[in-house]
Amino acid sequence: MSVVLSTASLPAADRGERWHHAVSRTFIPLDVRLLEDDPSPGSIVSHRLGSLGVSQVQAGPQVVTRSRRLIAQDGKEFLILTLQRRGSALKEQDGREARIGPGDFSLSDSSRLFRKKVQNAFCFTSFHFPREDLRVRDEDLRAMTATAFSAREGSAALVGTYFARLAREAEHLDAFAGRQFAATALDLLALLIDELSGRFVAQAPETAAATLVRVKDHIARHLADPGLAPPAIAAAHFMSVRYLHKLFESEGVTVGEWIRTQRLERCRRDLLRTPARGQGIAAVARRWGFTSPSHFSRAFRAAYGTTPREWQLHGLSGKGAGGDGPPQLRGGNVPGGLLVAHESAGAGVRPDPSPPAS
């Protein structure tokens, strides 16, 4: 049976209070502040599948907050998975902030402070259930709140697609089937959280190796972005930053060191090319994500034992600063044992050729 709560029949002046009541009744006690002088009508259509509540929510701009006062008053420990349909939401919890766009889903935990702000009309499907129903470690759950999971690819896509289909079929399921499908949904969500937390690495090293190859390929295709950093890389692959660092530990190199090595090698190669000679060293450094020319020069000399200018002038002739031929990374081999080169953004992954011979 569907439960429908709507403010469409009310005068605009009365919608705020009624909407606040509808939101808190459907989910958990929340503070709601509408951002329109004349609030748009809102509606919530809900179904119940065992302990899992499924709600389709449509309304106008607003800010929703779970405060310390409300947490202390009811002490409820519920989780809310929100699948964004239309509009975007800015969510904050556990020291993180994430923008949740159409097609993304996210998690909120009622036992801790959180805040959600939507500045335009929106529609989302929400799934709320007792925390005890999701069998994952608290520390892993804390790492996943206020995070945008894209339902377009990877394991998150499987989870998002299942939840979306469950919402569409909710009103047609009998009580028994509803409980079973809801339990499957939470099992899939727990599986996703365990995967992103690196719980399967020890049991499947080949999976970790394949993931590392994909991550390295992603890095190689985004070296020009100065903002390329572990949080962005981890988010692009639906994993925690901790798991990302764990992948690179097996290579004996940090994520930052691997990025720097790749950037330096692209710069070393490009400094010898005729177009680069006309652009100057700083332009080449910027092309590969270095924002400070002085930092680039220091990093280049530390890696190769010669300055970028000396390499550009004498690299092909082998007359570097030490006169010992083309520079190699100090220590002999590239940390991590794999150097990825791309002639263009769409190029495949392959070993980088050796430095030009004299």
Side-chain angles (χ1 to χ4, degrees):
M1 177 184 295
S2 299
V3 175
V4 180
L5 302 173
S6 175
T7 63
S9 62
L10 299 174
D14 297 335
R15 287 173 180 164
E17 182 178 354
R18 185 65 63 86
W19 182 249
H20 184 185
H21 176 75
V23 169
S24 294
R25 172 184 169 183
T26 302
F27 303 106
I28 51 175
L30 294 164
D31 289 324
V32 181
R33 178 168 61 89
L34 301 184
L35 301 180
E36 297 175 301
D37 292 335
D38 294 316
S40 302
S43 67
I44 303 175
V45 181
S46 299
H47 302 87
R48 175 65 57 177
L49 303 176
S51 63
L52 179 68
V54 183
S55 301
Q56 180 92 357
V57 183
Q58 299 185 70
Q62 58 191 269
V63 177
V64 177
T65 305
R66 177 72 167 169
S67 65
R68 287 189 178 88
R69 174 181 56 82
L70 293 176
I71 294 172
Q73 282 179 359
D74 65 32
K76 291 182 178 179
E77 294 191 359
F78 273 74
L79 299 180
I80 302 173
L81 184 149
T82 303
L83 180 60
Q84 200 73 22
R85 300 289 191 182
R86 186 178 70 251
S88 295
L90 190 65
K91 301 190 80 170
E92 303 171 33
Q93 190 167 38
D94 294 324
R96 286 183 302 277
E97 180 180 277
R99 182 166 295 280
I100 317 300
D104 297 339
F105 66 88
S106 61
L107 283 169
S108 300
D109 188 335
S110 74
S111 67
R112 299 189 301 282
L113 302 175
F114 70 78
R115 180 176 183 269
K116 179 172 72 172
K117 182 177 183 179
V118 285
Q119 294 184 298
N120 296 290
F122 65 88
C123 175
F124 65 74
T125 303
S126 180
F127 306 82
H128 40 290
F129 50 92
R131 165 66 182 91
E132 62 188 19
D133 287 1
L134 187 67
R135 294 183 292 275
V136 297
R137 293 168 44 143
D138 286 339
E139 62 185 86
D140 294 338
L141 178 61
R142 282 178 179 265
M144 303 298 164
T145 55
T147 298
F149 296 98
S150 173
R152 298 178 183 85
E153 58 183 351
S155 300
L158 297 176
V159 175
T161 300
Y162 186 90
F163 271 91
R165 186 58 184 266
L166 182 61
R168 289 197 296 271
E169 301 297 332
E171 64 178 310
H172 306 298
L173 299 174
D174 63 34
F176 177 78
R179 286 195 299 271
Q180 298 304 309
F181 283 120
T184 299
L186 297 188
D187 284 344
L188 288 173
L189 179 58
L191 185 64
L192 174 66
I193 293 174
D194 284 342
E195 179 191 10
L196 299 184
S197 301
R199 298 292 168 202
F200 306 139
V201 176
Q203 291 77 13
E206 68 281 359
T207 301
T211 300
L212 181 59
V213 170
R214 291 197 300 272
V215 169
K216 286 182 173 180
D217 181 61
H218 173 88
I219 291 173
R221 289 184 286 107
H222 293 84
L223 288 172
D225 179 7
L228 184 66
I233 297 168
H237 292 84
F238 314 112
M239 64 178 64
S240 66
V241 174
R242 181 180 62 182
Y243 182 38
L244 175 67
H245 286 305
K246 184 180 295 186
L247 288 175
F248 277 85
E249 282 177 8
S250 64
E251 303 256 311
V253 64
T254 68
V255 181
E257 288 169 346
W258 204 85
I259 293 173
R260 183 171 62 252
T261 296
Q262 300 303 304
R263 284 174 167 161
L264 287 171
E265 181 60 16
R266 303 312 190 283
C267 292
R268 179 201 65 79
R269 179 192 62 191
D270 282 5
L271 284 171
L272 296 184
R273 295 182 172 178
T274 302
R277 290 172 180 268
Q279 293 177 349
I281 292 172
V284 172
R286 283 195 301 272
R287 179 186 305 145
W288 293 111
F290 287 101
T291 58
S292 168
S294 59
H295 170 70
F296 165 66
S297 294
R298 289 193 300 271
F300 193 95
R301 187 179 186 91
Y304 299 116
T306 186
T307 67
R309 176 63 65 193
E310 289 167 342
W311 169 239
Q312 190 177 48
L313 292 175
H314 306 298
L316 286 176
S317 65
K319 298 177 181 178
D324 296 325
Q328 301 287 343
L329 278 174
R330 291 187 171 183
N333 296 322
V334 176
L338 174 65
L339 197 62
V340 182
H342 285 253
E343 293 297 334
S344 67
V349 180
R350 58 187 184 279
D352 195 40
S354 301
S358 57

